[in-house]
Amino acid sequence: MARVTRTIIVRSVKLPRKMFRVFVELEGMYRNMVEQLVMYAVRNWVKSFTRLKALKYHEMRSIYSQLPSHYVYTACQDASTRAKSFLRLKKLGLAGRGYPEVRRISIWLDDHLWKPNGYTSIKIATHKGRIKVEFDPHKQYWKYINRRWKLTSEAKIKLDKKNKQLIVYLTFVKKIEERKRRGYLPVDVNENNVTILADGVASLFETGTKKLVLGYYYHRKKVQEKYDKLYGKRSRIKKKVLRKLKERRKKHDIKWKIANLIVRTACEKQYAIVLEKLGRKPASNMIRRIKDKQLRHRIFQASFKGIQRTIKEKAKEYGVPVIYVNPRNTSKLCPIHASPINYDNSSRIGKCSKGGGLWHRDVVACWNLFLKALRGDGSIAPSPAELNVDVSRMLFGTKATHDPIALPRGLWTRWKSLPQIQHATVLNKMRR
Ligand SMILES: [Zn+2]
């Protein structure tokens, strides 16, 4: 049983000026508290929330006696989270200044500080009593309500001062039982595509990550150099320009779309997803080397992990099991003969050194992930001789098994799962 949580952002309606002012005051006091607590925690190297609370509760309570007492708790939680990550950086020698800056603030609420009030409003405890705030529910919000996700007691609010609105972060939780698996869906994540193997047919989803990641990388570098020269290393204007690059959002979009597609496909077929097991920090051993090629590699590795993590998150939501197998040699050995495949000049098509068959690199990887998952231990080079008839027939069957169906980004991003047509194609091929 997996516990899955999702945070949903809703906006309140525009608040009356007087009411909004209460929240501005609240935010001010909360910010002061967090600032003092962070300073104290960093100065005294206090990392635990409970210790921070034990040490500072009475003092904070007496200074901010007009606030409901639980704001001291949540401020302590907030502050200890900030202090912890700052101290971690400091230990690594990566913290820029002596103390962390408390710039952006969201007010943390616990079960004593807020309550849902029907489906479209919440009540928030303040120094001026409980205030009812209406919000605008959206489609996504109703989706969680209708699918019986439960609201948790943690929430956060941010102030949008320009529009006099509250931005409310609600967290939903659901317990989801993992389904039984009836097969495997291997997924190979590459620089420029994500390839899956469903019932013997490989589909290659073009993601264009290479262009996106590298393009932004070099663009960002150029912007940095230009603004550093003009305004110095810590200029606000540089940060603003960098923030405007929509890299994160674009990557985020592609990640969730591909994850959705894969997980829904696995869910429909009741398959487990098979992924390569990447190291915890797939690139940390390369950080010191600066050769361009390796730098690229490092950047891509980071995005591989991102896609894998998104698939894992989505799979949890659907109760789809995820299996990790050892990535060793997955694209180097022929799935039929376990002999090396020779790729010429960085080509993605290679020739089996024993059987002479032509293989697409990403399809090879998928087959090997599949075979490793079937064998269960994920470490030994697979040999199809020991596998069941179905698999060997698919493997030795038509040439189609060696070639992926390439799907351009413009096409698949509109799909919800793999279209049924593919299944029909496979059956046809097997009959032949
Ligand atoms: Zn071979």
Side-chain angles (χ1 to χ4, degrees), residues 245-310:
L245 302 179
K246 288 176 189 141
E247 180 183 10
R248 196 186 285 181
R249 213 179 63 206
K250 276 193 195 154
K251 271 198 248 169
H252 186 89
D253 242 41
I254 294 172
K255 261 194 299 200
W256 281 99
K257 274 189 179 138
I258 193 73
N260 227 327
L261 188 68
I262 288 168
V263 171
R264 279 180 193 239
T265 304
C267 185
E268 279 169 14
K269 296 177 183 292
Q270 293 189 36
Y271 286 178
I273 291 171
V274 185
L275 295 171
E276 286 192 341
K277 189 192 277 160
L278 297 175
R280 210 167 68 89
K281 280 185 197 155
S284 64
N285 57 336
M286 292 177 190
I287 282 172
R288 272 156 289 134
R289 296 184 241 167
I290 11 167
K291 270 187 200 158
D292 202 36
K293 215 172 149 194
Q294 277 150 351
L295 185 61
R296 283 166 182 242
H297 186 67
R298 196 180 106 209
I299 302 166
F300 289 127
Q301 283 288 328
S303 69
F304 294 168
K305 274 217 114 169
I307 292 180
Q308 287 209 347
R309 218 177 302 127
T310 315

Side-chain angles (χ1 to χ4, degrees), residues 7-61:
T7 301
I8 295 294
I9 304 172
V10 290
R11 277 182 167 267
S12 76
V13 296
K14 190 174 179 177
L15 301 183
R17 181 169 305 191
K18 246 185 166 174
M19 190 196 275
F20 194 73
R21 200 170 350 146
V22 176
F23 287 105
V24 174
E25 288 165 9
L26 175 67
E27 190 199 48
M29 287 185 272
Y30 182 86
R31 177 191 289 276
N32 287 341
M33 248 190 314
V34 172
E35 272 171 355
Q36 290 174 57
L37 288 165
V38 169
M39 280 288 238
Y40 179 85
V42 167
R43 193 178 297 149
N44 298 289
W45 214 272
V46 179
K47 280 194 195 166
S48 111
F49 153 66
T50 22
R51 242 191 93 208
L52 185 62
K53 195 183 74 190
L55 290 163
K56 297 294 276 184
Y57 180 80
H58 288 288
E59 186 191 332
M60 287 293 139
R61 190 78 194 99

Side-chain angles (χ1 to χ4, degrees), residues 65-239:
S65 54
Q66 69 273 48
L67 276 182
S69 66
H70 272 253
Y71 278 109
V72 181
Y73 289 134
T74 57
C76 282
Q77 267 172 322
D78 191 343
S80 73
T81 314
R82 287 169 193 260
K84 229 186 278 172
S85 65
F86 181 82
L87 290 173
R88 198 183 308 129
L89 288 179
K90 200 170 177 182
K91 214 172 172 183
L92 294 168
L94 294 170
R97 46 199 119 207
Y99 294 99
E101 215 176 326
V102 177
R103 206 183 281 148
R104 291 182 194 201
I105 207 126
S106 53
I107 306 169
W108 293 24
L109 305 173
D110 68 6
D111 53 339
H112 291 254
L113 299 174
W114 80 288
K115 264 188 187 78
N117 183 47
Y119 284 122
T120 60
S121 67
I122 58 174
K123 277 185 174 167
I124 302 169
T126 71
H127 52 297
K128 296 275 163 75
R130 283 183 184 273
I131 298 180
K132 188 176 118 187
V133 176
E134 304 268 349
F135 61 83
D136 283 330
H138 43 61
K139 212 172 117 193
Q140 202 194 12
Y141 171 80
W142 288 120
K143 197 183 97 184
Y144 284 93
I145 297 283
N146 291 331
R147 292 187 186 167
R148 319 230 159 186
W149 288 64
K150 287 212 172 73
L151 260 178
T152 63
S153 58
E154 305 112 63
K156 288 178 191 176
I157 48 173
K158 246 186 208 168
L159 272 58
D160 176 354
K161 286 174 185 152
K162 210 163 113 199
N163 299 308
K164 295 202 175 55
Q165 287 176 311
L166 297 186
I167 301 165
V168 187
Y169 296 74
L170 300 169
T171 305
F172 284 94
V173 65
K174 196 178 187 184
K175 276 188 183 152
I176 288 163
E177 207 152 341
E178 205 166 83
R179 290 154 174 262
K180 263 210 169 132
R181 59 166 174 258
R182 290 171 42 205
Y184 296 101
L185 186 82
V187 178
D188 181 46
V189 183
N190 298 291
E191 279 181 9
N192 245 344
N193 74 63
V194 173
T195 304
I196 70 172
L197 184 71
D199 304 323
V201 175
S203 308
L204 182 149
F205 300 95
E206 288 172 3
T207 51
T209 332
K210 186 174 184 175
K211 212 168 143 200
L212 197 70
V213 172
L214 274 188
Y216 273 113
Y217 175 76
Y218 290 120
H219 186 56
R220 202 183 315 115
K221 219 166 140 186
K222 245 170 49 196
V223 170
Q224 257 160 356
E225 277 163 13
K226 181 179 150 197
Y227 283 87
D228 284 355
K229 222 186 256 170
L230 283 172
Y231 306 102
K233 287 223 164 197
R234 280 222 178 115
S235 69
R236 283 222 159 170
I237 182 151
K238 179 180 86 181
K239 274 189 193 157

Side-chain angles (χ1 to χ4, degrees), residues 334-339 341 352-357 359:
C334 169
I336 296 175
H337 306 99
S339 51
I341 294 178
C352 167
S353 58
K354 195 168 174 195
W359 288 91

